[in-house]
Amino acid sequence: MYFFKRKPKMPTFELHQEDGSIAPLHITFRNGEIHLNPDYMARGTYELQIDRGSEKESRLITVQ
């Protein structure tokens, strides 16, 4: 029986600027993919952190 089955943790997304502060995140989900909207972001380099609970992943993104 699965009376106490836990729901899987939903991934969390954070976008950090070069100085380490958290930047506003402008994303759209389409067909299971994440699309960032650079029109609303200032130029520069950002770090996108994805936390899936047991594993964390980070990617560098440059907006020109």
Side-chain angles (χ1 to χ4, degrees):
M1 299 245 165
Y2 298 111
F3 291 118
F4 301 106
K5 186 176 181 182
R6 293 184 182 184
K7 291 183 180 179
K9 183 179 176 185
M10 297 300 291
T12 57
F13 304 96
E14 286 186 350
L15 189 65
H16 296 271
Q17 294 177 344
E18 292 179 66
D19 61 358
S21 62
I22 296 178
L25 191 59
H26 301 281
I27 60 174
T28 305
F29 294 97
R30 278 188 242 142
N31 300 327
E33 297 177 343
I34 302 168
H35 296 271
L36 292 172
N37 192 348
D39 297 336
Y40 296 107
M41 300 168 64
R43 292 181 178 178
T45 303
Y46 296 90
E47 180 183 16
L48 178 65
Q49 292 181 344
I50 304 170
D51 183 5
R52 293 188 180 107
S54 61
E55 62 183 58
K56 291 184 180 181
E57 182 179 343
S58 64
R59 304 272 173 121
L60 289 177
I61 299 168
T62 302
V63 177
Q64 297 180 354

